Amino acid sequence: MDLPFVVATLTRRGLLTPGRPIRVASQLQALRKWGWSLAGELRQAAARDPGRVAVIDEQGAELTYQELLDRAERLARSMRTGLGVQTGDRVGVLCRNHHGLIAAVVAATVLGADAVLVNTGLSAAQLATVTEEQQLRVLVHDDEFADRILGLPAEVHRVDERGIEELIAGARPGDLQPPERDGRTIVLTSGTTGAPKGARRPTPNGFGPLVSIIDRIPLHTRDTVLIAAPLFHTWGYAALQVAFALRATIVLHRRFEPAATLAALVTHQCQALFAVPVMVQRLLDVPPPEPRPPLKVVAVSGSALPGGLAPRFMDVYGDVVYNLYGSTEVSWASIAGPADLREAPTTAGRPPHGTRLEVLDDDGQPVPNGRVGRIFVGNEMLFEGYTSGARRETHDGLLDTGDLGRINADGLLFVDGRADDMIISGGENVFPSEVEDLLSRLPQVREAAVIGVPDPEYGQRLAAFLGLHSGEVLDPEAVREYVRHYLARFSVPRDVIFVKYLPRNATGKVLSRELRRYYG
């Protein structure tokens, strides 16, 4: 990434604002010594702004950057002396959004251990599988998950919330030095269609990844940011990394609740919110607060943005929505700003600076604008492979996202869905997202999902699952006629099923396998 662009972006976002020389020197020294891991980012923030509030939990706890660093370092020393955690070990973290998760991940990183971010929605059986496959030495967990860990092997150290406090309080004095090997962060893929896989996240090697994001999403130094997206998810974890780099104040709630989130945005005067699309949708289900929160950025990612959602939200809260399309494997691919989403509400936007994006056919050749193909991405933060040793297909340095999409004449990317989600009905290819976007525009519909189910005549047929707003009623034939009016006949769902809520995982993605249970 070219230096003038980096300097200009960092200046615009306030990161090159002059400060006390001794603190600036300490900040640079922390990055030089500890690198760009989460531990390094926390150290640089504590060196530059030690007294600034780093984290505010919903219970009212406030920790400064120096206090958060002290807790993480004490926990690291106790993990090393009391639990025997060494460089190369793996520490599982099964926590909701609170400062304990941050301290555990930083502590593991400081020791050169890999932090495995465990999805809070996993069942006991899935958790046991993840523990075995990832060879966890320690599992740090919230108290609410105590019953889920009963079947884990006895040799896995379990540390609950009280245990964390005891380890921090009982830490022995000692110096911590950078490990011989950088600790990695392992994120579990969503597992909407199968068992989750561990994906090794690379450690940034400079300002490039940060600059790519904040050039397109106008976050600034010392903003106050509410991270509603789960921190165990790629998007929530990325938000945490960006917030540390900006020395932001981070507001966290263990669970997302729309009214409480809006109240916190006002109380703490948050300039930014990181969320997944279903959270933004639910915020519109409650009355907006008066006065409105001073939001400048509502950054969403993690699943497809339903058609019409961004304009509806911006009509209430201003032109503040930024949609980042990416994945655990490729980090980011493209970003759509408010102007893009006003023009084309379902667009994934354009690749940011330093990112290559191409839509290719099955032979690896670029397809013309407007034609659907496979989306490939290249940037500084492509994942390092699955912990199982499996990898994704690459082409000329670009990684296969597993998604199908197209680029229009204006250069905007549109994602049509997962390649393995495409429905072939009577020989015609149907992308569920196109039908879902159309159905979500019905005023009675709160949420919509479309899947393919077996059909003896056509091979597959479309089934639409609709969640309606309270008190609303729809006739299945009226739904079919509505789709027939706008789309081809093979896109009309033959089955229309009304549900109270769509089944989703902890990151808001619809669980297609749960919907298929309606068909046995």
Side-chain angles (χ1 to χ4, degrees):
M1 189 170 290
D2 56 288
L3 184 59
F5 175 79
V6 170
V7 172
T9 303
L10 296 178
T11 301
R12 276 190 295 131
R13 303 308 183 212
L15 281 161
L16 297 186
T17 301
R20 292 172 56 182
I22 190 169
R23 288 191 176 173
V24 174
S26 296
Q27 178 187 21
L28 296 176
Q29 173 66 8
L31 286 174
R32 186 194 68 79
K33 185 175 180 179
W34 289 90
W36 302 83
S37 65
L38 195 65
E41 291 284 12
L42 176 54
R43 283 178 178 277
Q44 68 84 23
R48 180 69 181 268
D49 270 340
R52 178 164 180 78
V53 175
V55 180
I56 301 173
D57 281 353
E58 59 193 314
Q59 288 88 354
E62 293 189 6
L63 293 173
T64 66
Y65 271 103
Q66 188 60 57
E67 290 169 339
L68 182 60
L69 177 60
D70 289 344
R71 287 176 63 85
E73 288 188 333
R74 292 173 68 88
L75 181 57
R77 294 201 300 271
S78 284
M79 280 184 172
R80 182 174 61 188
T81 59
L83 303 180
V85 176
Q86 302 175 12
T87 299
D89 286 340
R90 287 184 179 169
V91 176
V93 183
L94 177 60
C95 297
R96 298 196 185 275
N97 285 15
H98 58 84
H99 65 81
L101 178 150
I102 299 173
V105 174
V106 172
T109 305
V110 164
L111 298 175
D114 294 337
V116 181
L117 302 181
V118 182
N119 190 315
T120 59
L122 295 187
S123 66
Q126 288 176 312
L127 179 58
T129 299
V130 166
T131 300
E132 179 182 359
E133 290 180 349
Q134 301 301 324
Q135 300 179 326
L136 299 185
R137 183 180 184 88
V138 176
L139 179 66
V140 176
H141 66 91
D142 288 347
D143 293 344
E144 67 175 283
F145 304 118
D147 61 334
R148 229 178 280 182
I149 67 171
L150 295 177
L152 300 187
E155 59 267 22
V156 178
H157 294 288
R158 302 162 175 80
V159 182
D160 59 15
E161 293 178 60
R162 180 179 176 181
I164 287 182
E165 295 303 323
E166 290 175 347
L167 288 172
I168 291 172
R172 298 177 184 175
D175 190 25
L176 291 168
Q177 295 297 324
E180 296 178 359
R181 164 195 178 276
D182 285 340
R184 289 290 192 265
T185 301
I186 296 174
V187 178
L188 300 182
T189 60
S190 297
T192 56
T193 57
K197 301 184 291 291
R200 293 191 302 271
R201 305 288 305 138
T203 300
N205 59 6
F207 285 109
L210 172 68
V211 167
S212 292
I213 301 303
I214 64 175
D215 171 56
R216 299 288 298 277
I217 302 178
L219 300 158
H220 293 81
T221 305
R222 296 183 173 181
D223 277 348
T224 299
V225 178
L226 195 157
I227 304 178
L231 293 178
F232 65 73
H233 182 250
T234 305
W235 182 230
Y237 188 73
L240 180 62
Q241 291 176 299
V242 170
F244 274 4
L246 295 173
R247 309 192 303 280
T249 293
I250 304 163
V251 181
L252 297 175
H253 287 183
R254 293 197 180 213
R255 294 176 180 272
F256 173 76
E257 201 284 318
T261 297
L262 288 174
L265 291 172
V266 174
T267 298
H268 301 294
Q269 291 292 282
C270 297
Q271 288 89 15
L273 168 67
F274 281 79
V276 296
V278 69
M279 293 176 176
V280 173
Q281 184 172 298
R282 290 184 63 193
L283 289 176
L284 290 176
D285 292 338
V286 298
E290 291 294 347
R292 300 283 200 275
L295 287 170
K296 297 179 182 178
V297 169
V298 174
V300 297
S301 186
S303 61
L305 193 63
L309 177 58
R312 290 203 314 272
F313 187 88
M314 292 192 291
D315 287 345
V316 178
Y317 291 99
D319 284 7
V320 296
V321 178
Y322 294 80
N323 180 32
L324 183 145
Y325 161 61
S327 69
T328 301
E329 293 82 2
V330 304
S331 294
W332 66 84
S334 60
I335 300 173
D340 299 323
L341 295 169
R342 286 290 189 188
E343 175 187 343
T346 61
T347 185
R350 298 175 173 85
H353 193 89
T355 297
R356 292 172 57 206
L357 186 152
E358 292 189 16
V359 179
L360 308 178
D361 61 21
D362 289 338
D363 296 323
Q365 298 301 311
V367 303
N369 284 348
R371 185 174 298 178
V372 174
R374 301 163 65 194
I375 302 173
F376 283 74
V377 175
N379 59 44
E380 293 184 51
M381 291 294 288
L382 299 181
F383 86 137
E384 298 175 335
Y386 297 111
T387 53
S388 64
R391 304 194 68 84
R392 296 290 288 271
E393 181 182 344
T394 60
H395 181 81
D396 191 25
L398 305 179
L399 188 68
D400 180 16
T401 64
D403 289 329
L404 299 174
R406 54 202 155 80
I407 297 175
N408 72 3
D410 296 324
L412 290 173
L413 174 69
F414 294 81
V415 180
D416 290 295
R418 301 292 296 171
D420 50 12
D421 283 345
M422 187 175 69
I423 301 165
I424 304 177
S425 181
E428 301 285 355
N429 295 340
V430 183
F431 296 101
S433 60
E434 182 180 30
V435 187
E436 290 169 351
D437 288 337
L438 180 63
L439 293 173
S440 68
R441 294 185 187 131
L442 284 166
Q444 300 93 336
V445 174
R446 186 185 68 252
E447 53 185 354
V450 174
I451 64 172
V453 298
D455 185 89
E457 182 178 359
Y458 294 96
Q460 284 183 301
R461 67 179 185 272
L462 273 66
F465 293 79
L466 304 179
L468 305 183
H469 291 291
S470 178
E472 296 289 355
V473 176
L474 267 178
D475 177 70
E477 183 52 37
V479 172
R480 286 188 282 267
E481 186 58 35
Y482 169 73
V483 176
R484 193 175 292 116
H485 180 75
Y486 290 99
L487 299 177
R489 58 172 180 77
F490 49 79
S491 296
V492 177
R494 294 173 62 190
D495 301 355
V496 178
I497 301 165
F498 298 102
V499 295
K500 188 173 183 180
Y501 293 103
L502 293 176
R504 298 179 183 269
N505 64 13
T507 60
K509 290 184 178 179
V510 174
L511 296 171
S512 299
R513 65 175 179 268
E514 296 294 329
L515 295 178
R516 290 191 175 91
R517 291 185 179 180
Y518 281 82
Y519 293 86

